[in-house]
Amino acid sequence: MGTIEATKETTVDAVMEERINNILMTRFGRGLKDCTKEEILEALMQITKEEMEGRPRVNGKKKLYYISAEFLIGKLLSNNLINLGLYDKINAILKKYKLCVADIEGLENEPSLGNGGLGRLAACFLDSIATLNLCGDGVGLNYHYGLFRQEFLNNKQHEVINPWIRKDSWLERRPESFEVPFGRFTLKSTMYDIDIPGYETGKCNRLHLFDLDSVDDGMVQDDSINFDKRDIQRNLTLFLYPDDSDRDGRILRVYQQYFMVSNAAQLILKEADERGADLHKLDEYVAVQINDTHPSMVIPELIRLLTKRGLSMDEAISVVTKTCAYTNHTILAEALEKWPIDYLEEAVPHLLPIIRELDRRIKDTVKDESTYIIDKDNLVHMASMDIHYGHSVNGVASLHTKILEESELKNFYKLYPEKFNNKTNGITFRRWFIASNPEMTSYIESLIGPGFRKDAMELEKLMKYYDDDEVLHKIGTIRHHNKRKAAEYLYETQNLVLDVDSIFDVQVKRLHEYKRQQMNALYAIYKYLEIKKGNLPKRPITMIFGAKAAPAYTIAKDIIHLILCLQELTTKDPEVSPYLKVVMIENYNITKAEKIIPAADISEQISLASKEASGTGNMKFMLNGAITLGTEDGANVEIHELVGDDNIYIFGKKSEEVVKLYETNGYVAKDYYENDPLIHKLVDFIVGKEVESVGDPVSLERLHHELISKDWFMTLLDLKDYIQTKERMFEDFNDRESWYKKELVNIAKAGFFSSDRTIAQYNEDIWHLN
């Protein structure tokens, strides 16, 4: 998280210092003065875990279970110390020895339990649930290797294992264990917990992660992510989202999902029994939030278990419907999971009678085939099951929810208008501001007091400094310090040389065509060609990318290849490199996000309008003062409403226009390519001699062909408007006084996007926890 100074003068706590030294002496035979950073990390983790273990759990009559395939929690030392109220105390002790918490946390392994925004949102939500003193735990899987570790070789992404679990980790093995039945065998689970402390609440919740002792890490070679997908007992929790390009990979995902929800359901009923709950009124004791469609089978599994406990089918269905709620995170068809019925017959045959019964009840009362759970092709639609048999369906940004109601889930909305509601996403300011941008946090606290730490809306008080030159310049100075730290980090980790006086133009997020990293790459080509013609920018530009592509997503990997080729071109060309550099962060993750987001000048949020459900990166950049360059998509719409036209740069077609183009087949990429000389030139550069001299012609020609023959996410539609808007943005950057004001407004208006606000709304409208 960069070098973190204590946010206020803190006297050294002699008792805590002695406690640290005692642990080090016991474990290593020497004290703080002589121990390595690795040894100090182990001692600080021990103290933090002891503190969390000693705190009471949050209790209440009703408990939430937030079930998610992903929890992208990031490194935990700083975050936990901040929430426990120990950060400044520990940091002051370390400063005596010319160290700081960030030095130590740098050695911590980042838990590899998530991929992108879905998992990061779940992690923010757990932080806020605990901070608001709500009784609620997360439930997921303990992936040994997570997604993968990304390495760049020959300007291409390569995937290798990411072994993050070590002896001293945040995981605590618990005695709970459940038998999970599958078609051909039964597996016995193991439960691990990670404590989640609330911010200065004195209490903790937990993240429960289920695993198998029989899983064999040795199945995978160090230089690959290949393994026998059919050996379920040995592979089940190795990877998040195992490669689903073949049947074995797809059915493995079914096994994973059922293993997760069966454990969750059994845990729910066990804890309900311990609390004396009346299972006939389970919804008065339990709330289940289904985070996207991966946990959808919790609905038939809970029904199955309740009928085994004596409830009739009618009653079990009724009580489960009142207990479960569903969050939709996408309108992309590929992400609304549909499983062939033969997959379920093989993996979970005991669930099929219940799923068929749920489907029969819908078909008996509803004539609209688009809402059926089992369609005419014998595909089981998970989202359909969630909507019919949950009591709430929420989108995650106002535009996203509107699109669900009016277009993508319109037929369901007609059936259940009362179920649909919006809960705009949020982020935890503890990690994404207090921990990752400590200098800015400290300065803002000196201006408006510490109230924003608990009530993010207090950031609005910054607006009284809108015309204060001293404050505006100080905000700019802090950003420059953050740019220097980010540049130092990228030099140390990737040998990348960044000009800290350049504009940091940043697009870091999961690689997907709808997020349109390819459009940003085409801008890089435009700027490269302009510079080669002698049209030099007034200020150098550093275009920073960070993204992983799913291993089987060929075009996404081709886009990464193009970006890496442009990195080599711009770095090695002496005419271009003083004015433009393209760089790509290897193995982008939470740790690297915490370095780059506080350093960014421009936040690229350029998805095709109507395709991004919300986004949360846009909120993190805004909170840290970066200015958004974006389409009217996802939460960009709400950012625009909050900051006003002068403090955001919007381009591109609106969502209604895009939806119409899809409905009418009105977008033809080849027409843009053939009829616009500039677009033609930029796209052809991908297969020109400059790029192919440093790249793979097969990969580049495949991407070129995709852009002009298909371009499903309409890159070329918005390209020229994007270039013009970005050029105007770069020009405006040179008016430093006006730009500083834009930064201040963005920080001041970011309070709405606190996940504390989001969770308070979930609780008020959906969960009704005590």
Side-chain angles (χ1 to χ4, degrees):
M1 293 185 188
T3 303
I4 299 180
E5 299 294 333
T7 57
K8 49 185 175 288
E9 287 300 317
T10 309
T11 55
V12 172
D13 185 318
V15 174
M16 178 61 76
E17 185 175 10
E18 182 180 9
R19 184 177 172 189
I20 295 170
N21 273 311
N22 286 343
I23 290 172
L24 290 170
M25 289 298 297
T26 300
R27 295 183 69 160
F28 307 110
R30 50 190 180 273
L32 265 167
K33 184 171 177 292
D34 301 310
C35 274
T36 65
K37 291 178 183 178
E38 288 84 356
E39 291 164 344
I40 295 170
L41 172 63
E42 290 185 27
L44 293 183
M45 288 180 69
Q46 180 177 328
I47 286 171
T48 307
K49 287 197 282 188
E50 287 172 357
E51 288 287 331
M52 293 189 294
E53 282 286 341
R55 309 259 167 140
R57 306 289 116 189
V58 182
N59 289 311
K61 177 186 175 183
K62 189 173 185 179
K63 181 172 181 178
L64 165 72
Y65 296 84
Y66 192 91
I67 310 176
S68 178
E70 297 185 43
F71 290 94
L72 193 57
I73 55 180
K75 296 181 180 183
L76 292 175
L77 182 62
S78 286
N79 202 74
N80 285 343
L81 290 176
I82 286 169
N83 284 9
L84 293 168
L86 296 175
Y87 183 91
D88 290 341
K89 191 180 289 188
I90 298 288
N91 210 40
I93 293 166
L94 293 177
K95 283 173 74 175
K96 274 184 61 177
Y97 301 90
K98 296 183 169 49
L99 294 168
C100 67
V101 174
D103 295 331
I104 307 304
E105 187 180 56
L107 301 170
E108 182 186 337
N109 281 356
E110 180 173 318
S112 191
L113 297 170
N115 174 29
L118 181 77
R120 187 53 238 168
L121 181 79
C124 287
F125 279 7
L126 293 188
D127 182 274
S128 287
I129 290 163
T131 295
L132 295 182
N133 255 321
L134 298 174
C135 181
D137 289 342
V139 184
L141 294 180
N142 189 40
Y143 307 104
H144 295 213
Y145 293 143
L147 192 68
F148 58 83
R149 190 175 82 252
Q150 180 191 57
E151 293 183 353
F152 295 150
L153 183 64
N154 298 323
N155 288 334
K156 289 188 173 184
Q157 168 182 294
H158 288 262
E159 305 90 21
V160 297
I161 59 172
N162 185 23
W164 66 276
I165 301 171
R166 58 188 184 190
K167 186 176 140 200
D168 288 292
S169 79
W170 298 105
L171 294 167
E172 291 289 335
R173 185 174 177 130
R174 301 296 182 195
E176 282 80 3
S177 179
F178 303 105
E179 291 194 347
V180 179
F182 291 102
R184 293 180 288 111
F185 46 79
T186 295
L187 298 178
K188 191 175 177 63
S189 69
T190 301
M191 188 172 88
Y192 292 87
D193 279 352
I194 295 177
D195 282 325
I196 310 292
Y199 179 62
E200 296 184 352
T201 64
K203 296 180 181 178
C204 289
N205 286 330
R206 282 180 173 156
L207 169 58
H208 305 295
L209 299 169
F210 286 96
D211 204 347
L212 281 174
D213 286 341
S214 60
V215 167
D216 180 6
D217 294 358
M219 290 183 73
V220 194
Q221 299 300 312
D222 286 350
D223 60 349
S224 78
I225 56 169
N226 299 320
F227 63 99
D228 181 355
K229 296 175 187 172
R230 291 165 296 183
D231 194 344
I232 304 299
Q233 290 99 322
R234 294 172 63 227
N235 71 24
L236 188 60
T237 54
L238 282 175
F239 287 99
L240 167 67
Y241 303 142
D243 174 17
D244 62 351
S245 59
D246 57 20
R247 187 183 190 279
D248 290 339
R250 290 190 291 274
I251 203 164
L252 172 55
R253 292 200 184 191
V254 175
Y255 277 101
Q256 280 190 334
Q257 291 179 9
Y258 180 69
F259 183 72
M260 174 174 66
V261 302
S262 180
N263 278 296
Q266 292 183 70
L267 177 68
I268 288 166
L269 296 183
K270 174 180 180 291
E271 292 189 345
D273 288 339
E274 291 169 352
R275 300 203 314 276
D278 179 353
L279 296 186
H280 299 276
K281 300 176 181 177
L282 185 67
D283 57 296
E284 295 179 12
Y285 298 87
V286 170
V288 173
Q289 193 67 38
I290 297 169
N291 192 35
D292 216 346
T293 53
H294 313 110
S296 298
M297 281 186 282
V298 74
I299 290 173
E301 178 67 356
L302 273 172
I303 293 168
R304 183 182 76 86
L305 294 176
L306 287 171
T307 56
K308 285 182 69 176
R309 301 280 287 268
L311 275 69
S312 69
M313 180 64 73
D314 285 345
E315 187 180 16
I317 290 172
S318 174
V319 75
V320 169
T321 300
K322 289 184 284 187
T323 300
C324 292
Y326 163 56
T327 299
N328 175 284
H329 285 278
T330 184
I331 62 169
L332 297 180
E334 70 206 53
L336 292 172
E337 291 177 305
K338 300 173 285 290
W339 294 120
I341 212 157
D342 64 293
Y343 288 16
L344 301 182
E345 283 172 341
E346 177 180 331
V348 287
H350 50 288
L351 275 198
L352 269 180
I354 296 166
I355 293 172
R356 286 195 167 103
E357 173 62 16
L358 296 176
D359 181 58
R360 182 194 65 76
R361 292 178 179 225
I362 299 305
K363 287 174 176 171
D364 283 352
T365 57
V366 178
K367 299 307 176 191
D368 185 348
E369 292 185 10
S370 70
T371 67
Y372 292 169
I373 296 171
I374 303 175
D375 68 18
K376 63 182 185 302
D377 297 318
N378 271 335
L379 293 173
V380 180
H381 292 245
M382 294 296 162
S384 300
M385 186 162 60
D386 296 333
I387 297 167
H388 287 303
Y389 295 101
H391 66 91
S392 169
V393 180
N394 74 277
V396 291
S398 59
L399 175 64
H400 172 232
T401 302
K402 183 170 180 278
I403 291 170
L404 294 180
E405 293 174 353
E406 296 180 359
S407 176
E408 298 301 318
L409 298 179
K410 180 180 178 181
N411 295 337
F412 290 97
Y413 182 64
K414 287 179 185 174
L415 294 173
Y416 311 113
E418 74 285 353
K419 290 188 181 185
F420 281 72
N421 60 95
N422 178 59
K423 298 290 172 282
T424 297
N425 282 344
I427 58 174
T428 170
F429 285 25
R430 267 78 63 184
R431 178 178 291 273
W432 295 108
F433 197 56
I434 295 171
S436 63
N437 201 346
E439 188 180 359
M440 190 76 81
T441 300
S442 180
Y443 182 59
I444 287 175
E445 187 170 333
S446 75
L447 296 174
I448 64 172
F452 70 90
R453 289 170 172 260
K454 287 195 173 180
D455 179 3
M457 295 305 291
E458 289 205 12
L459 285 171
E460 184 84 30
K461 292 178 180 178
L462 278 175
M463 289 304 296
K464 67 185 177 185
Y465 297 99
Y466 183 77
D467 292 311
D468 189 318
D469 289 345
E470 182 181 348
V471 170
L472 295 172
H473 279 266
K474 180 65 174 176
I475 288 173
T477 299
I478 292 170
R479 182 166 313 284
H480 198 265
H481 292 167
N482 291 336
K483 289 166 86 165
R484 189 170 299 283
K485 291 172 191 172
E488 289 169 355
Y489 178 80
L490 289 175
Y491 180 73
E492 290 167 4
T493 55
Q494 281 184 247
N495 202 33
L496 295 172
V497 178
L498 273 59
D499 178 357
V500 297
D501 294 317
S502 68
I503 301 170
F504 278 20
D505 173 32
V506 182
Q507 187 180 22
V508 285
K509 53 183 76 242
R510 183 168 56 90
L511 202 303
H512 197 291
E513 288 166 278
Y514 86 82
K515 295 178 184 287
R516 299 201 295 189
Q517 285 95 340
Q518 66 274 19
M519 186 166 68
N520 200 355
L522 287 170
Y523 174 85
I525 292 170
Y526 166 81
K527 205 65 184 171
Y528 175 90
L529 293 172
E530 286 292 296
I531 292 168
K532 295 295 278 185
K533 287 194 298 187
N535 298 326
L536 307 180
K538 291 180 182 176
R539 185 183 292 264
I541 300 160
T542 302
M543 297 179 64
I544 300 173
F545 293 83
K548 291 180 179 178
Y553 191 174
T554 302
I555 290 297
K557 294 174 78 168
D558 292 340
I559 293 167
I560 288 177
H561 180 54
L562 172 62
I563 294 166
L564 290 170
C565 289
L566 293 173
Q567 174 175 298
E568 183 172 346
L569 272 186
T570 57
T571 300
K572 291 184 176 178
D573 189 324
E575 291 179 350
V576 175
S577 60
Y579 304 101
L580 174 69
K581 275 194 178 176
V582 175
V583 300
M584 188 156 197
I585 300 169
E586 187 176 57
N587 198 44
Y588 179 70
N589 57 15
I590 299 298
T591 303
K592 296 183 180 185
E594 289 165 344
K595 311 285 187 190
I596 201 65
I597 288 174
D601 294 304
I602 293 172
S603 163
E604 297 267 357
Q605 308 298 333
I606 61 175
S607 55
L608 177 64
S610 80
K611 294 302 179 186
E612 185 72 82
S614 168
T616 52
N618 46 8
M619 303 169 190
K620 294 161 194 163
F621 282 103
M622 176 197 188
L623 172 61
N624 286 276
I627 313 304
T628 302
L629 170 59
T631 52
E632 287 273 27
D633 198 23
N636 293 354
V637 174
E638 285 145 294
I639 293 174
H640 188 182
E641 291 170 355
L642 286 164
V643 303
D645 293 342
D646 294 338
N647 302 294
I648 190 170
Y649 291 78
I650 296 294
F651 73 94
K653 298 294 186 187
K654 301 292 188 284
S655 61
E656 309 84 47
E657 298 172 282
V658 171
V659 170
K660 192 75 174 171
L661 286 170
Y662 278 117
E663 289 173 350
T664 61
N665 293 318
Y667 173 72
V668 181
K670 197 167 186 181
D671 290 347
Y672 284 81
Y673 172 73
E674 291 181 343
N675 297 325
D676 191 298
L678 176 61
I679 291 176
H680 196 288
K681 180 168 68 171
L682 299 182
V683 173
D684 276 2
F685 189 84
I686 295 170
V687 291
K689 63 181 187 303
E690 294 95 336
V691 180
E692 289 204 345
S693 69
V694 295
D696 171 14
V698 173
S699 175
L700 295 167
E701 285 164 18
R702 182 169 52 224
L703 177 58
H704 178 269
H705 178 73
E706 185 80 11
L707 279 172
I708 62 176
S709 65
K710 183 180 176 186
D711 191 23
W712 183 245
F713 297 102
M714 304 185 190
T715 310
L716 307 185
L717 175 73
D718 289 337
L719 177 59
K720 289 187 76 172
D721 193 8
Y722 175 60
I723 290 171
Q724 290 161 9
T725 307
K726 194 157 171 168
E727 288 290 287
R728 176 164 57 87
M729 199 172 188
F730 287 152
E731 183 65 32
D732 289 353
F733 184 89
N734 293 303
D735 182 351
R736 301 308 294 137
E737 303 301 320
S738 295
W739 192 270
Y740 292 151
K741 289 184 175 183
K742 296 178 196 296
E743 293 186 0
L744 181 138
V745 170
N746 272 267
I747 297 170
K749 299 293 184 180
F752 173 76
F753 294 111
S754 166
S755 52
D756 294 352
R757 183 268 312 157
T758 313
I759 290 302
Q761 291 178 343
Y762 270 94
N763 189 45
E764 183 177 348
D765 298 340
I766 302 173
W767 302 332
H768 310 300
L769 307 176
N770 298 337

